[in-house]
Amino acid sequence: MVVVGAGYTGLWAAYYLRRADPTLRVAVLEQEVAGFGASGRNGGWCSALFPTSWDVLARKSSPARAMRLHRAMQDTSHEIGRVIDDEGIDAQFQRGGTVTLARSPAQLSRLRDDVDMAHARGFTDADQRMLDADEAREMLAADGVLGGSFTPHCATVHPARLVRGLARVVEASGTDIFERTTVRSITPGRVETDAGTVRAEVVLRATEGYTPRLEGHRRAVAPVYSLMVATEPLDDATLAAIGLGDTAGEHRPTFSDGRHLIIYGQRTADGRLAFGGRGAPYHFGSRIRPSYDGEPAVFEDLRAVLRGMLPQLGGEGDGVRFTHQWGGCLGITRDWAASVGLDRQTGIGWAGGYVGDGVATTNLAGRTLADLVTGADSDLVSLPWVNHRSRRWEPEPLRWLGINAGLRATQVADAEESWTGRQSRIARMMAGMTGGH
Ligand SMILES: Cc1cc2nc3c(=O)[nH]c(=O)nc-3n(C[C@H](O)[C@H](O)[C@H](O)COP(=O)(O)OP(=O)(O)OC[C@H]3O[C@@H](n4cnc5c(N)ncnc54)[C@H](O)[C@@H]3O)c2cc1C
């Protein structure tokens, strides 16, 4: 078997394949180093969020099968925690749930609608519940909190420690990871790399946002950038004033608020705040460049949004320092549907299109790929995302116009809801999409 891409998807697939059948010969080919992609640089929300909307899943299959997929996602963060423990991966995994704050009346009513909708679908307070203003502030003492919602179905993880640790475990199990090996094309039984041809019965594509670079896949996925900043480690007094867990750093919920544009944060194990959002534009022709990982205006706005949410951080001159900033590309399919599958005729499998919800979903994908390849008749292979095919994106310039118009629509919606000119400017600058990170 050949797996193309050594991010979470490729590594989880290799991990579960070898466990299912230790006689399988598995090679992972990676253009840079294991964890180079989004898996090594994400926000570390190991959540039960799934990128495809409930309505689309339920329409395509049934509400009961949509629920089965969501329950499988809830189980997945437990599975990741189990493997991390069993394999001794030091990924700073801890389960603290997610708190989503409402900081305007519109956000509060949207959160209430979300929770009501979830309950109408069969979820309960044990999955997602409203918080009054005091409860929400107790979890995260942000400015202007009117209420919030909470789900326990999320853990925080150090993303790079997880992916590098997983790579070590996969190698130790007898799988070769060939780094600095770029795959140019995948055809049945054959993978062309810049270093030669590899033949294999089964080839699994796990290239996510970088997929358009593969021959014949230019319009399969749109690479969209998400950017992050991180503070220096906060002192005990500042942490105590902010919340997000106890003094021992346990029970740290990930956090967001109810605006349309995606923002996401976590208090890290070493007491920093790592905080991200969408905002970088989609680049014409699905181009990916290292320089796109850093948009100074977006970094500046992320810092301003976090300082605005949390006055405890102080001002730019005399407050807490931001010490890190970075970004990376994630993959979006034309119908915003993630999928995992194997074409038995060609022996080519794939998984991806997670938008910004891949940390846990990639594990479900890896287990599902292993079952598909080994022919196991498991509950996973009948989940409604299996073998789904998304249609291709439009050719340029339509793709560029469509995606960036979507970004702008989100930005305008937030600007209209925001209370102050400053917030409105931030919302304008940080155009983002709903769903994912
Ligand atoms: C800034 C940021 C924050 C995010 N935050 C979160 C979050 O908090 N929670 C969450 O659930 N999700 C988050 N995501 C999304 C999540 O990180 C991804 O969905 C997930 O990591 C995808 O894993 P992957 O293995 O499929 O892809 P990747 O990690 O991108 O791995 C693909 C790998 O394939 C390699 N590759 C590509 N093409 C080739 C080729 N032709 N030849 C050889 N190798 C190739 C790449 O180098 C890369 O290492 C975030 C993403 C970003 C960018």
Side-chain angles (χ1 to χ4, degrees):
M1 318 268 149
V2 165
V3 178
V4 182
Y8 298 141
T9 300
L11 294 170
W12 283 124
Y15 176 79
Y16 288 108
L17 270 167
R18 286 277 303 177
R19 283 176 67 88
D21 182 353
T23 65
L24 284 177
R25 284 188 65 206
V26 184
V28 181
L29 309 181
E30 164 58 48
Q31 64 185 356
E32 296 284 346
V33 294
F36 169 81
S39 300
R41 20 172 143 181
N42 60 71
W45 284 40
C46 185
S47 77
L49 293 169
F50 191 76
T52 315
S53 79
W54 174 279
D55 288 341
V56 169
L57 281 175
R59 223 177 17 249
K60 185 175 171 280
S61 54
S62 66
R65 290 184 68 209
M67 180 58 92
R68 205 151 68 71
L69 178 52
H70 277 266
R71 293 294 185 207
M73 283 299 303
Q74 292 173 356
D75 294 342
T76 294
S77 73
H78 293 277
E79 167 65 7
I80 293 173
R82 185 193 65 73
V83 176
I84 284 173
D85 275 353
D86 286 0
E87 304 289 357
I89 300 172
D90 181 16
Q92 299 173 342
F93 180 93
Q94 69 86 48
R95 182 175 299 283
T98 297
V99 57
T100 305
L101 300 176
R103 298 174 59 235
S104 72
Q107 291 185 8
L108 187 60
S109 113
R110 205 156 44 238
L111 289 189
R112 201 167 280 135
D113 288 350
D114 284 353
V115 172
D116 288 348
M117 182 74 81
H119 288 193
R121 287 168 178 158
F123 295 97
T124 68
D125 267 357
D127 299 302
Q128 199 180 352
R129 66 185 167 89
M130 284 304 286
L131 303 172
D132 64 29
D134 287 342
E135 285 177 301
R137 259 194 305 266
E138 201 171 310
M139 286 192 189
L140 175 54
D143 193 37
V145 174
L146 304 180
S149 69
F150 179 76
T151 171
H153 300 302
C154 188
T156 53
V157 73
H158 186 306
R161 282 170 175 254
L162 174 58
V163 73
R164 299 295 296 175
L166 188 57
R168 274 191 289 277
V169 169
V170 163
E171 269 189 331
S173 79
T175 293
D176 289 317
I177 303 177
F178 295 92
E179 297 185 318
R180 312 258 183 236
T181 304
T182 301
V183 171
R184 305 269 173 230
S185 69
I186 299 172
T187 47
R190 202 181 162 93
V191 176
E192 298 294 344
T193 81
D194 55 1
T197 303
V198 189
R199 291 173 199 284
E201 249 174 74
V202 171
V203 183
L204 303 179
R205 177 173 58 72
T207 48
E208 192 58 340
Y210 304 87
T211 305
R213 288 176 164 179
L214 281 172
E215 230 174 82
H217 288 78
R218 199 162 182 71
R219 286 158 53 195
V221 164
V224 169
Y225 281 78
S226 199
L227 270 55
M228 296 196 66
V229 295
T231 66
E232 62 185 328
L234 307 183
D235 60 38
D236 289 347
T238 311
L239 282 173
I242 287 174
L244 292 175
D246 54 28
T247 43
E250 298 296 318
H251 313 295
R252 291 175 277 125
T254 55
F255 67 95
S256 182
D257 74 12
R259 73 188 72 197
H260 294 283
L261 88 86
I262 296 304
I263 56 166
Y264 50 95
Q266 70 150 298
R267 170 180 161 185
T268 64
D270 62 349
R272 300 169 191 270
L273 296 183
F275 184 70
R278 297 280 176 73
Y282 160 79
H283 299 279
F284 193 88
S286 294
R287 274 197 304 261
I288 301 165
R289 293 200 177 138
S291 61
Y292 299 161
D293 295 346
E295 298 268 351
V298 177
F299 291 138
E300 193 186 310
D301 283 321
L302 283 171
R303 290 188 286 263
V305 168
L306 195 59
R307 285 194 202 279
M309 274 178 93
L310 298 172
Q312 301 90 327
L313 296 178
E316 220 173 294
D318 55 352
V320 162
R321 285 182 316 124
F322 283 82
T323 51
H324 295 76
Q325 53 188 37
W326 68 95
C329 72
L330 38 88
I332 305 183
T333 57
R334 178 62 181 83
D335 57 1
W336 284 65
S339 69
V340 54
L342 175 70
D343 181 335
R344 293 197 183 285
Q345 303 277 308
T346 60
I348 296 176
W350 74 92
Y354 312 109
V355 191
D357 297 327
V359 173
T361 319
T362 48
N363 174 278
L364 186 63
R367 285 184 281 143
T368 308
L369 281 169
D371 286 352
L372 288 169
V373 169
T374 57
D377 182 20
S378 70
D379 285 349
L380 301 187
V381 297
S382 61
L383 290 175
W385 69 320
V386 175
N387 285 328
H388 170 78
R389 303 273 191 172
S390 299
R391 67 178 195 274
R392 291 189 303 167
W393 282 95
E394 288 76 4
E396 298 292 18
L398 293 177
R399 186 158 74 243
W400 183 85
L401 287 168
I403 295 174
N404 285 327
L407 292 169
R408 262 191 302 280
T410 306
Q411 139 189 79
V412 168
D414 276 331
E416 279 174 358
E417 278 179 18
S418 67
W419 285 351
T420 66
R422 178 177 55 84
Q423 281 175 313
S424 133
R425 183 182 148 263
I426 288 164
R428 270 201 316 280
M429 292 293 292
M430 295 181 53
M433 293 181 186
T434 52
H437 293 87

